[in-house]
Amino acid sequence: MNTAPFAQFEDEAFDRMIATNIKGSFNVLREAARRTRDGGRIVTLASTSIKAKRATHGGFAATKAAQEIFAGVLSKEVAGRRISVNAMAPGPTNTSLLDVPPPLRAQAAQMIPYGRIGEPEDVANAIAALCSADGEWINGQVVFANGGFM
């Protein structure tokens, strides 16, 4: 994740974010709309950054906010086929994308009621729940898998 204050954010970095997080997601969701079987599930990845509005996360959060719009609109477009579409918004998760020094990881962990950074399995389990038969009635939503981080 490339973050910087607005005044220092380079056009090239923002263009890459748009290409990946908006255009790339749009292309994948378009194919999912075409190929997902009736009664299926589609989940796109947003980020807790869309609500946290942390300094230096403007570009990233903006591109991830598009996932909220995509999920809401696409859920209506495929509703006649009983396909649910949601956006999963993970919080700080222990992956290579969380490229911050240990003191900042510890600070983030303190902001989560569980007292720890999320693990990939935490997010995967939340996505699996959305994709299960029990997840059918959850549709057009942003689901935050962040341990209560905000």
Side-chain angles (χ1 to χ4, degrees):
M1 170 173 43
N2 192 343
T3 61
F6 272 89
Q8 298 167 6
F9 208 88
E10 299 291 331
D11 285 348
E12 297 80 22
F14 190 57
D15 290 344
R16 279 191 306 276
M17 268 190 209
I18 289 171
T20 301
N21 294 344
I22 296 179
K23 186 172 183 187
S25 292
F26 181 87
N27 290 337
V28 169
L29 291 169
R30 178 179 53 212
E31 289 306 309
R34 293 174 176 166
R35 298 168 186 248
T36 300
R37 72 183 188 291
D38 291 358
R41 308 282 182 268
I42 298 172
V43 178
T44 188
L45 288 174
S47 169
T48 292
S49 291
I50 67 176
K51 296 294 183 206
K53 298 175 181 72
R54 299 185 61 81
T56 74
H57 287 210
F60 177 74
T63 62
K64 287 302 191 171
Q67 307 313 308
E68 180 173 8
I69 302 303
F70 290 165
V73 170
L74 186 56
S75 71
K76 291 170 178 59
E77 292 179 3
V78 297
R81 295 173 44 209
R82 295 179 359 271
I83 296 171
S84 65
V85 184
N86 293 289
M88 177 59 61
T93 306
N94 191 21
T95 70
S96 61
L97 292 177
L98 187 62
D99 186 22
V100 297
L104 289 179
R105 281 180 180 252
Q107 183 182 22
Q110 291 174 355
M111 297 172 72
I112 299 171
Y114 288 167
R116 66 173 178 85
I117 297 293
E119 292 297 331
E121 295 80 15
D122 297 321
V123 178
N125 291 338
I127 292 171
L130 286 177
C131 292
S132 73
D134 292 337
E136 179 179 20
W137 200 240
I138 303 168
N139 191 24
Q141 303 299 308
V142 178
V143 177
F144 291 87
N146 60 22
F149 176 85
M150 280 293 188

